[in-house]
């Protein structure tokens, strides 16, 4: 395999950085995800009311080869676009892993035959655990 064929070749992080088990805390959509409140009525708008089960089903319904997770949407985007309080993204998305460099490294490892990559999404705690062997 040439370096051009190796998906890890273009990563800023070396594979040792992502090997093993890493937990990213409080990054998933949960029942405690912040939602907007109408200051006049004190109620959360209907478009921002959602359950974890709805969010998980939405993420699972995305037609892609890469498994998706449900991430919280910002209150601003919920208000501006009248969207749900969650969005779907690849399990290694930079909003979950905290950096674009980690996003790229996990993505490359997921695509490479040399690595086994798995994840666990705990929607009760909001924690995402990524395992790379």
């Amino acid at each position: 395999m040439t370096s051009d064929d190796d998906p890890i070749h273009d990563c800023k992080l070396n594979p040792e950085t992502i090997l093993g088990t890493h937990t990213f805390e409080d990054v998933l959509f949960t029942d405690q995800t912040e939602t907007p409140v109408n200051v006049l009525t004190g109620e959360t708008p209907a478009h921002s009311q959602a359950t974890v089960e709805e969010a998980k089903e939405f993420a699972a319904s995305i037609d892609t080869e890469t498994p998706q997770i449900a991430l919280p949407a910002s209150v601003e985007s919920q208000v501006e676009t009248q969207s749900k309080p969650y969005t779907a993204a690849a399990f290694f998305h930079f909003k979950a892993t905290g950096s674009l460099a980690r996003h790229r490294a996990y993505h490359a490892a997921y695509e490479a035959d040399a690595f086994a990559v798995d994840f666990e999404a705990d929607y009760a705690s909001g924690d995402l655990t990524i395992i790379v062997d």
Side-chain angles (χ1 to χ4, degrees):
M1 176 183 292
T2 67
S3 63
D4 292 337
D5 296 332
D6 180 7
I8 299 290
H9 174 72
D10 291 329
C11 292
K12 291 182 180 179
L13 299 176
N14 62 37
E16 288 74 33
T17 305
I18 60 167
L19 283 174
T21 302
H22 299 273
T23 299
F24 303 93
E25 297 179 351
D26 199 28
V27 296
L28 299 173
F29 176 81
T30 68
D31 287 328
Q32 289 77 39
T33 294
E34 186 178 13
T35 56
V37 175
N38 182 318
V39 294
L40 300 175
T41 66
E43 296 178 2
T44 298
H47 69 269
S48 287
Q49 296 176 8
T51 66
V52 168
E53 285 308 311
E54 289 174 316
K56 288 168 42 177
E57 287 173 15
F58 173 72
S61 75
I62 303 299
D63 187 20
T64 179
E65 291 180 13
T66 305
Q68 304 287 299
I69 56 173
L71 298 173
S74 72
V75 170
E76 293 81 7
S77 69
Q78 292 175 58
V79 170
E80 291 172 6
T81 63
Q82 293 192 352
S83 65
K84 291 291 188 183
Y86 54 79
T87 187
F91 70 90
F92 46 76
H93 195 275
F94 67 88
K95 286 185 179 179
T97 62
S99 78
L100 191 54
R102 278 192 173 278
H103 166 95
R104 289 182 176 150
Y106 281 121
H107 186 192
Y110 183 74
E111 297 290 324
D113 293 335
F115 298 94
V117 180
D118 199 9
F119 72 99
E120 296 171 10
D122 182 350
Y123 289 96
S125 69
D127 295 350
L128 172 69
T129 301
I130 301 178
I131 305 104
V132 180
D133 293 320

